[in-house]
Amino acid sequence: MRYDLKTGESYRLSNVRVCQIADYEVVGECPACGEPLREWHAIDDYPPVRAVLDGFETDGTVYVVDAESRVTTADEGDDPDGDHLVDDWRPWQTTPEPTAYVCTDCGREVDPRYHRGDGAEGRELRNMSASADASAPLASANKSMGLATGGATDAGNFRENVREGYVPQPDALAYEGLVHDYQFPARGDTDAEGLFVPTCTQSVSSNPLTGGVERYLSIGLDSSLSAADFDRPALDLVAVLDVSGSMSSAFDEYYYDRSGTRRRVDTDNSTADSKLDAATKSLCALTTQLDDDDRLGVVLYDNTAHVAKPLRLVGDTDMAAIRQHIRAITAHGGTDMSAGFDAARNLFEALDDGRSDGSDRERRVVFMTDAMPNTGRASTSALVNGVADAAADGVYTTFVGMGLDANADLISELLAVRGANHCFVHSATEFERRLGEEFDCLVTPLAFDLSVDVDANGYEVAEVYGSPSARPDDGTALEVTTLFPSPTEDGESRGGVILVELEATDPDLDAAADAGEITLTASWVERDGTPDETTATVRPRVAGHDDDAVCKAVALRRYAAELREWTERVREGGDNGDESGQIDDWLEPARPRHNHHERGSIRLRLSDADVQRFKRLREYLQAVRTVVDDPDLDQEIELVSELLEHGRADQEVPR
């Protein structure tokens, strides 16, 4: 790379790293070699440049130009076609909290939050952090669209953790996310009066994993809306990007180990993108889904927040330049999710002050994060309240989980908020493909506050699966905060299934004729605030499945229950991995290294009893796969097989 710059000329520099000479303090001794520790700086990303600067008495500001940078003369416009597109990116030139302390000799990183020492002043480069700038078609028209609940929209985080040899978090396998990976019949009637058209199928069968007989109602979330009639409204979107230190770790690794100690980020030997690399690629892909009459804003946050791009119409923005700025973002500092979210809300409030076209526009925050806040309002209740307050003002949130260690527990709490949903980024390429198919559906809620009552003589609602805000104990079969459209093709849509497990209140009631009809009464609020309701009735079955779809839905429910139970047992420390032999009762010393949101890794392990249970689970899934003829079930069979490879199948299992 060569730039022929002339003395005395003025140039415009874009996508450069800005570093400034500043005094620093030696913060202590390296625990590995005893040499002085200093702060990590942006210039450390460029060892050859650093080596040159160390030999000079350099003073003032240093601009590092690399392959991502743009250099133009000051009078050379960025708009050769004369369209006057605006590059309104604002470089982040604050000095954030350093990612780490670095040994001046061996280069080891030490987390600054847990290392304190007496220091002496010296001369060094201070990190100025961010980049700087000196100046899938839907269904055919005759088909109804399916609906899907708000909440998780995949189970990718769970699967990827198993593939990488880690025990996933239980909430990474939410039922609504699991069924969203599958197609179910869209049975809605486009001639129906209301938007929501509930359908009901039944299953009465023995659970081969427990031996008990279970009765389910599968409530289909279908609609009267045809694909031809669905049109996403204009969108005001603020992308909030987590640029904290944990985002610098590899996408397929944990930033903290099980005891909470931060792992060193080895970018030289890692074969995977960092979480931030995947996030910036995904954000660039997201911007390609926006129309000219949409607005885009961008907020970056670590332990503070920065508005990198104000809300502006996409048609008036130089999107190519914006995407180049996004690709140049770097990671540093702590994690204050609340600061990032507050900055996004402020952008909407500023827009409200001077706008007259807001009534019919969708407003959404897309939060791209590994969800491990450690500064600011980091409590779960404070974060949930902030998202809920925004939703009350018509600003809804999509959470995009980054990395194996994305905090599924926190995201699960946030998903119960009105208008919220979530997806996990397995790879930037996969996310881009998915955006092409589902973007309009992800950002367009159609109905809110769906409530379904089930009236069945002799039965009561025992459990509800598929809604993040279900509360069966309240006397209501299910409550769904938000319904989104679901991509529909060839009469089938993704997800859109809620399972209601019924339990007999009368032990002598064992024949369908004794129970009478099952009545479903549904009420909801459409996006324009109009309330509506409808009723459907079915006759209870004695045994068997109404169709293959409910058979598949029940199998996925049993699969999820078995795996969640295993992850909960291992993560809570109730399983030493060997129920038949010697016990490893070593306890890790208590180290207050991280807060409850920062997720440590737990290596995958199975007890002998787990091996036997998973063998039975695999046999059951294989039988269901044959009956329903759905090749998508192969991914679950393969995952159970991967789990079994970690077991000790050759050992005798106690009976």
Side-chain angles (χ1 to χ4, degrees):
M1 179 181 61
R2 176 178 176 180
Y3 295 106
D4 294 322
L5 307 182
K6 298 179 181 180
T7 304
E9 292 285 347
S10 297
Y11 296 92
R12 177 177 290 108
L13 304 179
S14 301
N15 293 343
V16 300
R17 296 290 294 278
V18 183
C19 297
Q20 184 178 15
I21 294 294
D23 292 337
Y24 80 100
E25 293 183 352
V26 172
V27 296
E29 293 184 353
C30 174
C33 67
E35 294 300 313
L37 290 174
R38 62 164 177 80
E39 293 181 355
W40 177 93
H41 307 289
I43 199 67
D44 291 325
D45 282 344
Y46 307 93
V49 178
R50 169 139 208 141
V52 171
L53 291 177
D54 285 344
F56 290 90
E57 291 294 328
T58 309
D59 196 9
T61 301
V62 176
Y63 296 84
V64 181
V65 180
D66 59 18
E68 298 294 328
S69 304
R70 297 168 61 196
V71 179
T72 59
T73 58
D75 58 354
E76 179 184 346
D78 291 330
D79 186 28
D81 297 328
D83 294 332
H84 303 293
L85 298 177
V86 177
D87 177 1
D88 55 357
W89 190 264
R90 300 172 177 175
W92 196 356
Q93 296 193 19
T94 57
T95 304
E97 180 181 335
T99 301
Y101 294 149
V102 181
C103 177
T104 57
D105 184 55
C106 69
R108 174 172 177 162
E109 291 184 11
V110 179
D111 195 320
R113 291 176 295 159
Y114 312 118
H115 186 93
R116 297 290 183 267
D118 295 328
E121 291 189 356
R123 184 178 179 79
E124 196 50 81
L125 292 168
R126 176 166 295 172
N127 179 21
M128 298 297 287
S129 79
S131 308
D133 190 339
S135 55
L138 296 169
S140 57
N142 61 336
K143 300 294 185 180
S144 67
M145 292 196 69
L147 299 175
T149 65
T153 60
D154 62 36
N157 181 272
F158 192 96
R159 295 191 186 101
E160 287 303 306
N161 266 273
V162 170
R163 292 185 184 117
E164 295 295 334
Y166 298 111
V167 177
Q169 299 166 50
D171 283 335
L173 193 59
Y175 184 76
E176 65 270 17
L178 178 62
V179 297
H180 197 83
D181 286 336
Y182 290 84
Q183 300 282 347
F184 290 90
R187 301 183 175 94
D189 181 2
T190 56
D191 294 327
E193 293 183 1
L195 171 68
F196 179 57
V197 181
T199 59
C200 181
T201 53
Q202 300 174 70
S203 169
V204 182
S205 62
S206 175
N207 186 337
L209 306 175
T210 65
V213 175
E214 298 169 345
R215 175 180 290 273
Y216 293 98
L217 300 179
S218 175
I219 300 177
L221 302 179
D222 298 303
S223 77
S224 62
L225 180 67
S226 71
D229 293 335
F230 173 68
D231 186 21
R232 171 176 69 80
L235 176 66
D236 293 336
L237 184 147
V238 176
V240 180
L241 181 58
D242 183 349
V243 298
S244 63
S246 62
M247 293 288 286
S248 64
S249 62
F251 197 83
D252 57 357
E253 297 178 355
Y254 274 71
Y255 189 62
Y256 297 93
D257 63 20
R258 187 178 184 183
S259 65
T261 304
R262 179 188 152 184
R263 297 177 183 269
R264 178 181 174 83
V265 179
D266 187 1
T267 56
D268 292 334
N269 296 322
S270 176
T271 59
D273 283 346
S274 72
K275 287 182 282 187
L276 185 61
D277 289 337
T280 55
K281 291 175 183 177
S282 298
L283 179 52
C284 287
L286 185 150
T287 64
T288 66
Q289 300 296 318
L290 300 175
D291 298 329
D292 284 351
D293 60 346
D294 295 328
R295 293 190 182 96
L296 173 68
V298 179
V299 170
L300 311 177
Y301 76 93
D302 52 12
N303 52 291
T304 60
H306 168 68
V307 176
K309 184 193 180 310
L311 274 166
R312 187 186 300 273
L313 287 172
V314 170
D316 295 339
T317 303
D318 185 348
M319 295 303 297
I322 296 302
R323 283 189 277 273
Q324 191 169 10
H325 293 308
I326 291 171
R327 295 186 189 100
I329 294 171
T330 57
H332 44 69
T335 310
D336 187 348
M337 288 180 65
S338 59
F341 197 81
D342 289 346
R345 287 195 66 183
N346 290 339
L347 281 179
F348 287 113
E349 291 173 0
L351 188 66
D352 288 340
D353 289 341
R355 82 185 205 177
S356 59
D357 61 345
S359 60
D360 60 346
R361 297 179 68 91
E362 185 68 29
R363 300 195 295 177
R364 182 160 291 269
V365 173
V366 175
F367 218 108
M368 310 183 80
T369 178
D370 56 11
M372 293 193 286
N374 52 34
T375 62
R377 301 192 307 275
S379 71
T380 298
S381 60
L383 294 168
V384 171
N385 289 340
V387 176
D389 289 344
D393 293 334
V395 177
Y396 306 120
T397 306
T398 295
F399 293 94
V400 180
M402 310 301 304
L404 289 181
D405 52 356
N407 185 352
D409 294 341
L410 173 58
I411 292 175
S412 178
E413 294 285 341
L414 294 166
L415 293 184
V417 175
R418 181 185 180 100
N421 56 14
H422 164 258
C423 62
F424 168 77
V425 173
H426 164 58
S427 71
T429 301
E430 170 67 15
F431 185 62
E432 184 172 5
R433 181 201 62 77
R434 184 168 181 178
L435 282 177
E437 296 178 355
E438 300 187 35
F439 178 76
D440 288 354
C441 296
L442 281 171
V443 300
T444 312
L446 292 181
F448 301 100
D449 303 330
L450 170 66
S451 175
V452 178
D453 292 320
V454 176
D455 183 9
N457 181 35
Y459 293 95
E460 63 182 5
V461 175
E463 294 289 345
V464 177
Y465 308 99
S467 169
S469 53
R471 295 180 178 85
D473 294 337
D474 292 346
T476 299
L478 61 97
E479 290 182 344
V480 177
T481 305
T482 313
L483 287 175
F484 290 84
S486 179
T488 306
E489 188 173 3
D490 297 330
E492 293 187 325
S493 62
R494 288 187 176 275
V497 170
I498 292 179
L499 277 184
V500 177
E501 185 175 2
L502 298 180
E503 192 173 77
T505 57
D506 182 354
D508 297 326
L509 190 70
D510 57 4
D514 296 335
E517 291 184 332
I518 298 175
T519 302
L520 305 179
T521 303
S523 62
W524 67 94
V525 177
E526 301 201 11
R527 61 176 291 116
D528 63 0
T530 304
D532 207 344
E533 66 177 18
T534 190
T535 301
T537 59
V538 295
R539 296 285 300 179
R541 291 184 64 96
V542 176
H545 309 289
D546 279 353
D547 57 24
D548 288 348
V550 68
C551 177
K552 179 170 64 177
V554 170
L556 291 172
R557 163 351 206 189
R558 291 167 176 168
Y559 163 81
E562 193 73 17
L563 293 186
R564 284 179 63 104
E565 180 184 343
W566 162 69
T567 60
E568 289 169 354
R569 186 171 62 252
V570 174
R571 280 190 165 270
E572 291 172 1
D575 190 343
N576 285 299
D578 188 349
E579 296 181 3
S580 60
Q582 297 177 333
I583 295 176
D584 178 2
D585 58 357
W586 181 266
L587 299 177
E588 292 284 354
R591 299 176 182 173
R593 294 283 188 175
H594 60 112
N595 70 19
H596 64 289
H597 291 311
E598 296 170 329
R599 296 308 184 192
S601 62
I602 298 178
R603 298 302 302 182
L604 195 153
R605 65 177 187 267
L606 273 70
S607 68
D608 292 337
D610 289 332
V611 170
Q612 293 302 101
R613 283 192 293 267
F614 289 159
K615 284 183 176 180
R616 291 193 295 269
L617 176 61
R618 182 172 61 181
E619 291 173 358
Y620 169 55
L621 291 176
Q622 289 169 336
V624 173
R625 163 69 170 87
T626 301
V627 171
V628 304
D629 192 25
D630 186 350
D632 287 342
L633 283 169
D634 290 340
Q635 63 185 325
E636 316 306 344
I637 296 171
E638 291 169 3
L639 185 139
V640 176
S641 296
E642 290 182 43
L643 282 170
L644 286 170
E645 291 180 3
H646 292 272
R648 291 174 294 262
D650 57 334
Q651 294 186 7
E652 181 180 354
V653 178
R655 300 185 183 276

